[in-house]
Amino acid sequence: LGRSVCRHLHAGPRLRALSLADCEAMNRGDRPLPERFNFAGDVLDQWARKEETGERPAGPALWWVSGQGAEVKWSFGELGTLSRKAANVLAQPGGLARGDRVAVILPRVPEWWLVNVACMRTGLVFMPGTTQLTAKDILYRLRASKAKGLVASEEVAPAVEAVVSECPDLKTKLLVSPRSRPGWLSFQELFQCASAEHGPVDTGSREPAAIYFTSGTTGSPKMAQHSHGSLGIGYTLCGRHWLDLKPSDTIWNLSDTGWIKAAIGSVFAPWLQGACVFVHQMAQFDPDTLLDTLTTYPITTLCCAPTVYRMLVQKDLERYQFLQLRHCLTGGEPLNAEVREQWKRQTGLDLHEGYGQTEVGIICANLKGQDIKPGSMGKGVLPYDVQIIDEDGNILPAGKEGEIALSLKPARPFSFFSEYVDNPGKTAATERGDFYVTGDRGVKDSDGYFWFVGRADDVIITSGYRIGPFEVESALIEHPAVVESAVVSSPDPVRGEVVKAFVVLSAPYKSSDPEQLTRELQEHVKNVTAPYKYPRKVEFVEQLPKTITGKIKRNVLRDQEWGRT
Ligand code: BCO
């Protein structure tokens, strides 16, 4: 794609008088959200103009490397031209129109960023998914969302083809691959001949922009919907004060394209600040490749899950001379004080933890320049008023454990998700009195620092993923060996916690070799649902603890795992 960049200037960028300072004022609550907002038109195209006038230093907006010699470097101007071409592909011949939902299941390839921006330009609702999704996951997502379009890579195509006949709403399938495939439109071919003339749709700031699927204790993942304003303006202060980015910075955020952390760290927060987003495709995560990359490329800012840092501190880090690394961030799961200390000792760099959720973005963080209390996830960040509340919605005093909650007064913050689509009951359940409740438990100390305690429900937080036990139990029950199961978290030195399944076996399997059966069940789960959810520990039991009404008591098993009474 890099070679096909047209040097002529973009068509009709609609520049509004919306500055970074305006966005910051909105984040602080000092200014209302504008009626209309489109990140591509109002932010990205402004940076393209600043490149032309020299107000932004020369340097890429997106710098992608494959790890096998291929490289793409796009300025904001080039990103503008190319994403306009992509927008034209989606609109025609893709036949997709404003408000249509589009599932985008791509690995970390440059096209993911193009399609993302193209969806903003055309007003399509972007629905990212990890390439670990299986046919069953894809079917659920396409049907639940009534997606009209799908953009996928070759590795995902067979899973899509296996279920597409059950998705009557899906009318467009675009394949991102150098090869064509029957039944698919070729994104690459259409892109080559697409026009670079496209004016962004004048989207409303509260108009739906993206849907993220999130796991809960019960049922299938929910569809958390975000607006153009919540994503495109909501991360301004986070980009400046947590990520500490300037236009001269280059950030590498490792998150998979399927998670909101990719939107935060690899799209909105960096590009609001005019910084460069660095991407290493890295099909399979490898700590050595990560360290080599930091010594090869001028990455100033690194963001990855605590599990990654836990893996990195096991290496001899003093052997590595990082080229320009100056600021390190982490989030998605709790960071141990000990890992922070080891990273600091070996690299001289602090780890700045952020805590957040798909629904509301970053809630607490150790901002640059703030004193860090090891083990704490920092203080509440704007635009949020973060409190610890009790079961009746009352604010608890410092030092008291309760649920982490965000004030809905004087108004629901604009950076919140708008709703769980088609699920008013679950949307309403996130509110308690004047607060949005996170479902996480914590403590606020007398200095205003927050300390994570754990989930208030059965959701498992492992390697930065949030996994609903029900999804794993549903996968296990499809295996003939499983009569019933209970899935809970279990401690793990590298991944923080892992998924553990307690399994009651059916009679024919009771005499099976436990190790072999464990492997079989693990493979089975990896095939039925996204592999990152598979139980890394399995224990076979005669029966599960239950309430008098027959409900499985996961808490008893979880307490047992964690050595709690
Ligand atoms: O460990 P195993 O090898 O036994 O299993 C791994 C993979 O090998 C396997 N797998 C992957 N694709 C497969 C497959 N198996 C079969 N077929 C396939 N197609 O499944 C297991 C996946 O586990 P993993 O993803 O944890 O892999 P890995 O390589 O150990 O990666 C480690 C991490 C730390 C890089 C990875 O876990 C990770 O990226 N974690 C971060 C997740 C994240 O970004 N979370 C943020 C969510 S958004 C948020 O928190 C909101 C904040 C505001």
Side-chain angles (χ1 to χ4, degrees), residues 6 8 36 38 42 73 142 158 206-207 215 226 271 313 315 322 327 332 361-362 378 382 408 414 464 494 499 515 560:
C6 312
H8 73 80
R36 324 293 309 167
N38 185 285
D42 292 324
K73 278 184 183 178
L142 293 177
R206 298 196 185 268
E207 185 173 326
S215 294
H226 274 279
W271 283 346
V313 295
K315 304 270 167 191
F322 301 149
H327 189 46
I362 301 300
L382 291 171
L408 295 164
F414 73 88
V494 174
V499 174
E515 278 183 23
Q560 178 185 310

Side-chain angles (χ1 to χ4, degrees), residues 242-243 251 301-304 309 327-331 351-353:
W242 181 46
L243 303 180
I251 179 168
T301 313
L302 176 70
C303 184
C304 39
Y309 288 106
H327 189 46
C328 299
L329 304 132
T330 193
L351 268 181
H352 295 257
E353 184 176 354

